[in-house]
Amino acid sequence: MYEQISYEEVRQRNMQLVDVRSEKEYAEFHIPGAISFPVLSNEERRIVGTLYKEGHFREAKQRALSFVAPKLSQLEAIFGEEGKNTCIYCARGGYRSRAVAALFYALGYGVYQMAGGIKAYRQMVNRELPKLLESLSLLILYGQTGTGKTDLLLRLEGMGIPVLDLEGMANHKGSVLGSLGLGEPHSQKMFEALLYETLSSYEKLPLFITEGESKRIGKVILPNGLWEAMERSKRIYITSPMDLRAERLMHGYAEDVSLEEQKAAVHRLAPYVSKDDLNEILQYMENGQFKMAAKRICEVHYDKHYKYRPEDDTPVLENIDDDLTAKEIAKFWNTYKEDRE
């Protein structure tokens, strides 16, 4: 009989997880790093589920088998020659993962099934994440939109400094234009899974650097423990000249995004800016003057509605060169880390 193992064991053995739920379920929430291989697609799952609800159990099983059979050779390629380092999961450790594990075990593959499925994983995150957040220490970068805070995080991470990219975890940049070019924002469950995986990868939590955020990022509400950690954190205030802010905003939001998508996003500013200002921004975009459009968005929206006021003892850094500014931030991080220790 194939073996059921917990997620903790999966992690200890560094196993490859295969999520056999539908595409929709995977997109909503999955274990970070898991490969998606839906044994039943969204539509196939709907068909089988309807047959079950109507009491046609045998027909439902027959249809499920007809859907799954053509995919088995592709699934075998994922498992490899013996499948000894592969673990399968579904929603609750039920029919889908059980059937796949049993079949491949019978064929001689040493595959595993994750006990309890993603429901058990979610319960573990709910239980363990608050404990991790209790001891979380942060150094936070605050500043107006376009000062390069996200790029600074990337450079700091490249320097080996622990970073929490909360906007990356939320797949949203945290403003009314925050989803532009990024696709669907992550769900609360997905965000918390990514946060848990990052924090739990350390034996002892270090001092992380992150970006200042509001309580909400896209679809995500920051967990209370995270928000409390941010409230008690050390801070650095980042500034930049307006021209450079507009340049960053233009590249950050406009690249690889169609003009129609950009305009649709800008129209979401309507409740927050005057009609004249909105039309001016749209006209700049029509004329290909994206830097001017970005500058006006900063002036009439971001700077007007997002007020950042550094306290007297808050270090202030002007960011005109990301590499140099990252090095200055790293100095503060080292000082705060030593004080903390």
Side-chain angles (χ1 to χ4, degrees), residues 253-298:
Y253 286 100
E255 287 185 345
D256 303 319
V257 180
S258 71
L259 178 60
E260 291 309 309
E261 288 178 276
Q262 294 173 37
K263 288 165 64 178
V266 167
H267 273 291
R268 293 199 288 271
L269 295 174
Y272 310 104
V273 303
S274 71
K275 186 176 180 179
D276 287 345
D277 287 333
L278 183 62
N279 288 336
E280 181 184 14
I281 292 166
L282 291 169
Q283 189 60 58
Y284 280 133
M285 295 171 70
E286 288 283 358
N287 296 339
Q289 297 174 281
F290 296 107
K291 186 173 179 178
M292 283 300 300
K295 182 179 179 181
R296 288 300 289 153
I297 290 172
C298 285

Side-chain angles (χ1 to χ4, degrees), residues 72-265:
L72 294 179
S73 61
Q74 300 171 45
L75 192 54
E76 189 276 340
I78 294 174
F79 292 161
E81 190 171 327
E82 296 180 345
K84 287 184 177 179
N85 205 40
T86 306
C87 185
I88 307 160
Y89 75 88
C90 60
R92 297 177 180 83
Y95 177 75
R96 287 175 287 182
S97 60
R98 186 169 64 244
V100 172
L103 173 62
F104 278 89
Y105 180 83
L107 293 173
Y109 292 82
V111 298
Y112 297 81
Q113 182 198 27
M114 196 178 91
I118 201 166
K119 182 178 181 180
Y121 174 81
R122 175 62 179 168
Q123 290 170 342
M124 183 198 65
V125 171
N126 286 342
R127 182 178 64 250
E128 299 298 327
L129 181 57
K131 298 176 187 177
L132 290 167
L133 293 175
E134 285 178 2
S135 56
L136 181 62
S137 296
L138 300 169
L139 172 59
I140 300 190
L141 308 182
Y142 279 91
Q144 294 168 305
T145 298
T147 52
K149 299 182 293 296
T150 301
D151 288 337
L152 289 171
L153 288 183
L154 293 173
R155 280 165 173 75
L156 290 162
E157 188 173 37
M159 295 164 65
I161 293 176
V163 161
L164 285 184
D165 181 7
L166 300 177
E167 292 183 0
M169 293 177 188
N171 199 38
H172 195 281
K173 295 179 182 177
S175 69
V176 70
L177 303 180
S179 62
L180 187 60
L182 294 179
E184 187 67 18
H186 285 163
S187 66
Q188 187 76 30
K189 292 178 181 179
M190 193 69 234
F191 174 84
E192 291 177 4
L194 290 164
L195 181 60
Y196 168 78
E197 293 295 332
T198 299
L199 298 181
S200 64
S201 66
Y202 293 87
E203 288 187 14
K204 180 182 177 182
L205 289 184
L207 174 64
F208 287 95
I209 300 182
T210 192
E211 182 177 344
E213 304 289 351
S214 63
K215 180 72 172 172
R216 185 184 187 99
I217 310 175
K219 291 183 176 181
V220 169
I221 303 296
L222 297 187
N224 288 335
L226 175 57
W227 185 251
E228 289 164 6
M230 295 176 77
E231 289 287 286
R232 63 177 181 260
S233 69
K234 297 281 189 179
R235 305 181 182 197
I236 297 175
Y237 186 78
I238 309 296
T239 69
S240 282
M242 176 58 82
D243 276 357
L244 187 51
R245 289 175 58 202
E247 188 80 24
R248 290 196 186 105
L249 194 63
M250 177 180 69
H251 291 301
Y253 286 100
E255 287 185 345
D256 303 319
V257 180
S258 71
L259 178 60
E260 291 309 309
E261 288 178 276
Q262 294 173 37
K263 288 165 64 178

